Amino acid sequence: MGLSIVILAAGKGTRMRSALPKVLHPVGERGLLEHVIDTAENIGADEIHVVYGHGGEIVPQTLSARAVNWVKQEQQLGTGHAVAAALPSVKAGNDVLVLYGDVPLTSETTLSALMAEYKRTGFGLLTVALIDPTGYGRIVRDAVGKVLRIVEHKDARADELRIQEVNTGILATSQANLQKWLGNLKNDNVQGEYYLTDVIAMAVADDIEVATSQPSAEFEVLGVNNKRQLAELEGHYRRIKAETLMDAGVTLRDPARIDVRGTLTCGPDVEIDVNVVFEGDVKIGAGTRIGANCVVRNSVIGDNVIVLENSVIDQSTVGDGARIGPFARLRPETELAANTHVGNFVEIKKARIGQGSKVNHLSYVGDALVGANVNIGAGTITCNYDGANKHLTEIGDDVFVGSDTQLVAPVKVGNGATIGAGSTITKEVEPGVLALSRVKQTTINNWQRPTKKSK
Ligand code: UD1
Ligand code: CA
């Protein structure tokens, strides 16, 4: 018997006040619904059905790469109606777990515990006790604590409204049970909807014990209806990521001020200062320090690297012992070898900088191959773009590039060459020579500086 997971995601999300369907809004690096699909895959679903509606095709279009079955619910007539829409595609005889597309942070541990309860009795219901249960369906139990039914907030009597144990919406039962029950749902309630929650009383009538379990933490069952709740869940996600890093030995100057939107893997003794954002896949080697206000995206940083504050590292590789920033920008396809230095206001793009080379101040190096032990002086620019195409600059080992040099690509500079400050290099520079393209300095004696005319 396999596991079918049905994810309900057809709600309008009006309170997000956004043109984007609610389930596509991100928490961390992924949309709400993607979190839920990933969780469904991780707990071993052998089929995933996503019920979508409002926002029409944008949801399946955006997530077209995902291996899920998309079920369109034309009209949102309630949670029971939504599950019924998916039921014809659910494999006969399977277990069924219902999740919500706008509840992104449910852990695998919590869902495994729920599935264990389902296996025991035939019905598992995830519930939680809330200090303020307003709006939620209440769990009605008898005198000995047996679950009898769920009453929605809007349909509840005063005594029922005092119940603090609520329905999270997440439940597990069999395809066979749903097949039997969903057809009998009625919409004779205050909201005129087909409530999935009415199957609880049907289970009880069929002598199936509705076994309940609780999430490991309350935030795991929180849904998103507005931007405040979205930000609240982002905060929980940020904290989970920070705690995982600290548990792995990473030093965070302030765990509340780091964002990991993706996967960050760190070696031992990594230190991260405040307000650093990591995106995508980032790997950091042992002993490396990342300064305040940096953004690092899809990059690999070696051991004992120092990244000083306000630097941006995007799709780049940084060798051991390198020193970057402050205020450096490494754009995609930058490769810095070991012990390189890239200083302030330096932009590097699609370039390889060899071992021990330095680009310390105010330079642009793009589409370039730079050898080892090269010094690139302040204000050097590779003129890589002719208005139509990009061209390569090749610099050998042990080259000294004087300040304020323009290297007009395509151009090559041989090993050990020296370029005088202020040069515009348009032709190949042979190894070992001094190249200079500088207007000779002239002196005008007895020159008078203009003075202001008196009125
Ligand atoms: C539902 C539960 C309530 C529970 C609460 C937890 C019912 C009747 N009530 O109430 O007991 O405490 O969730 O948040 O189930 N959806 C569809 N199609 C529909 C209606 C809803 O796909 O026709 C989806 C929504 O996108 C959402 C989820 O189902 O992801 C829950 O719908 P919502 O309207 O938020 O249910 P509540 O009234 O909050
Ligand atoms: Ca809701």
Side-chain angles (χ1 to χ4, degrees):
M1 221 167 31
L3 173 62
S4 301
I5 294 186
V6 177
I7 303 175
L8 304 188
K12 285 195 171 58
T14 321
R15 282 175 286 162
M16 296 297 278
R17 300 189 184 280
S18 167
L20 191 69
K22 175 165 79 175
V23 293
L24 296 182
H25 283 264
V27 161
E29 71 284 8
R30 288 166 291 165
L32 299 174
L33 179 54
E34 279 186 276
H35 281 272
V36 185
I37 294 173
D38 287 338
T39 306
E41 284 175 354
N42 293 341
I43 61 170
D46 59 11
E47 52 177 42
I48 299 172
H49 307 275
V50 182
V51 181
Y52 72 101
H54 179 73
E57 305 304 322
I58 304 169
V59 178
Q61 271 164 17
T62 306
L63 302 178
S64 60
R66 304 302 306 241
V68 302
N69 173 44
W70 296 98
V71 177
K72 186 156 189 181
Q73 186 193 18
E74 294 290 346
Q75 275 182 294
Q76 280 73 68
L77 302 180
T79 50
H81 182 261
V83 175
L87 202 59
S89 359
V90 171
K91 196 170 165 212
N94 264 12
D95 302 328
V96 179
L97 172 65
V98 177
L99 301 175
Y100 284 4
D102 56 4
V103 178
L105 300 184
T106 319
S107 70
E108 292 159 38
T109 317
T110 291
L111 293 176
S112 303
L114 176 70
M115 291 311 292
E117 286 306 289
Y118 154 68
K119 294 268 158 125
R120 192 170 64 78
T121 69
F123 203 114
L125 181 65
L126 191 67
T127 73
V128 67
L130 296 180
I131 291 170
D132 177 13
T134 306
Y136 289 89
R138 307 298 207 279
I139 310 298
V140 180
R141 293 178 185 263
D142 70 10
V144 294
K146 181 182 143 194
V147 173
L148 298 178
R149 58 193 172 89
I150 291 177
V151 60
E152 289 304 299
H153 182 103
K154 286 179 179 154
D155 301 297
R157 301 186 308 253
D159 60 319
E160 291 167 335
L161 286 177
R162 282 196 290 275
I163 300 172
Q164 286 180 305
E165 187 188 8
V166 305
N167 174 30
T168 63
I170 295 173
L171 58 81
T173 190
S174 67
Q175 177 271 341
N177 285 338
L178 291 173
Q179 189 69 51
K180 182 172 170 212
W181 298 330
L182 291 180
N184 298 327
L185 291 181
K186 298 200 171 55
N187 63 352
D188 55 350
N189 48 56
V190 171
Q191 303 187 75
E193 287 182 6
Y194 296 93
Y195 291 163
L196 178 62
T197 44
D198 285 350
V199 302
I200 279 78
M202 294 177 181
V204 173
D206 283 351
D207 274 332
I208 294 173
E209 181 194 339
V210 176
T212 57
S213 67
Q214 283 69 43
S216 316
E218 195 180 297
F219 71 81
E220 291 189 23
V221 297
L222 295 180
V224 172
N225 294 304
N226 55 45
K227 293 286 173 75
R228 290 189 189 208
Q229 290 168 340
L230 185 68
E232 191 184 330
L233 283 175
E234 182 78 39
H236 288 293
Y237 190 65
R238 184 185 303 126
R239 190 172 44 74
I240 295 168
K241 293 283 197 173
E243 285 171 359
T244 308
L245 287 174
M246 291 187 292
D247 291 347
V250 178
T251 301
L252 302 180
R253 294 302 286 267
D254 183 354
R257 286 184 287 168
I258 174 174
D259 285 84
V260 181
R261 299 176 190 148
T263 310
L264 172 60
T265 316
C266 293
D269 297 307
V270 167
E271 273 183 49
I272 300 170
D273 212 327
V274 300
N275 296 328
V276 179
V277 178
F278 295 95
E279 291 181 352
D281 252 316
V282 176
K283 289 194 177 58
I284 299 180
T288 288
R289 301 205 316 258
I290 312 285
N293 306 317
C294 290
V295 177
V296 186
R297 190 178 296 123
N298 294 316
S299 293
V300 178
I301 299 178
D303 297 344
N304 300 310
V305 171
I306 297 177
V307 180
L308 294 166
E309 53 274 20
N310 299 299
S311 296
V312 176
I313 299 178
D314 190 1
Q315 285 182 58
S316 296
T317 308
V318 177
D320 298 345
R323 189 188 162 94
I324 295 164
F327 297 100
R329 181 176 182 206
L330 306 186
R331 291 172 54 200
E333 295 182 60
T334 292
E335 280 177 51
L336 304 185
N339 303 314
T340 44
H341 287 193
V342 173
N344 39 214
F345 309 108
V346 171
E347 175 182 347
I348 302 195
K349 186 218 76 169
K350 201 174 182 179
R352 199 170 73 213
I353 311 288
Q355 194 157 335
S357 291
K358 296 174 180 156
V359 193
N360 272 331
H361 325 273
L362 298 152
S363 290
Y364 171 63
V365 179
D367 300 293
L369 295 173
V370 177
N373 302 313
V374 169
N375 188 86
I376 295 192
T380 295
I381 290 171
T382 53
C383 308
N384 59 329
Y385 186 51
D386 59 14
N389 296 298
K390 302 281 170 64
H391 302 282
L392 188 68
T393 298
E394 290 177 79
I395 298 175
D397 297 338
D398 303 305
V399 169
F400 182 93
V401 179
S403 298
D404 192 28
T405 291
Q406 299 97 54
L407 297 151
V408 182
V411 72
K412 286 183 188 177
V413 180
N415 292 341
T418 303
I419 295 173
S423 294
T424 302
I425 301 299
T426 54
K427 293 194 291 266
E428 179 163 351
V429 176
E430 297 298 328
V433 303
L434 167 66
L436 202 58
S437 77
R438 197 189 282 165
V439 177
K440 278 234 165 67
Q441 184 168 333
T442 51
T443 302
I444 298 169
N445 292 314
N446 306 320
W447 181 72
Q448 287 291 312
R449 204 191 283 180
T451 51
K452 249 202 170 117
K453 281 182 188 143
S454 53
K455 286 178 195 148

